[in-house]
Amino acid sequence: MSWFDTVLRWVSCVLILLGSAFALTAAIGIVRFPDTLSRMHAATKPQVVGLIMILIGASAQLRGHGNVWMLVLVGLFTLVTAPAVAHLIGRTAYREQRGRDGLLLINELGDDDRE
């Protein structure tokens, strides 16, 4: 095993551990945060970053193998769908008024009374 393989193995292990830590903090945030909008933030941002770090670390471990492309597809699918799902969850929570009072300074989705 060359020095490059050793360094790459250490880097991939660090990426997998850091990605797991991000996913753990996201899970703790989902359980601990008080309202839907805060939970939505915890479910999307650190979870996606953690998953991408885990996928990069795993692809570094599997380099030259056919399954690397499957990991790339999983990462792309997550990057495409997570913002859309978060937007829909946030919009639904806002319309059902499940957020804490006083979070918004400007109500851009409010009803207009200018008739």
Side-chain angles (χ1 to χ4, degrees):
M1 189 181 320
S2 70
W3 65 272
F4 180 73
D5 292 332
T6 305
V7 169
L8 193 60
R9 185 167 299 224
W10 276 100
V11 167
S12 67
C13 289
V14 167
L15 282 173
I16 290 171
L17 287 174
L18 283 175
S20 300
F22 269 89
L24 177 67
T25 58
I28 292 171
I30 290 171
V31 172
R32 299 285 306 212
F33 285 156
D35 63 340
T36 305
L37 297 176
S38 300
R39 288 180 184 153
M40 178 191 63
H41 177 76
T44 54
K45 304 253 189 226
Q47 186 70 26
V48 170
V49 171
L51 178 66
I52 296 300
M53 290 174 80
I54 290 171
L55 292 175
I56 291 171
S59 64
Q61 287 282 335
L62 295 174
R63 70 182 187 282
H65 197 272
N67 290 337
V68 172
W69 293 110
M70 187 64 68
L71 296 176
V72 170
L73 287 175
V74 168
L76 288 175
F77 184 72
T78 302
L79 287 175
V80 168
T81 58
V85 170
H87 174 74
L88 291 175
I89 290 172
R91 190 172 181 153
T92 303
Y94 175 79
R95 291 193 185 227
E96 292 181 0
Q97 297 176 351
R98 298 204 181 253
R100 290 181 295 180
D101 291 332
L103 284 178
L104 299 176
L105 297 177
I106 299 172
N107 187 0
E108 293 179 356
L109 295 177
D111 296 330
D112 287 335
D113 293 336
R114 293 185 273 169
E115 297 177 20

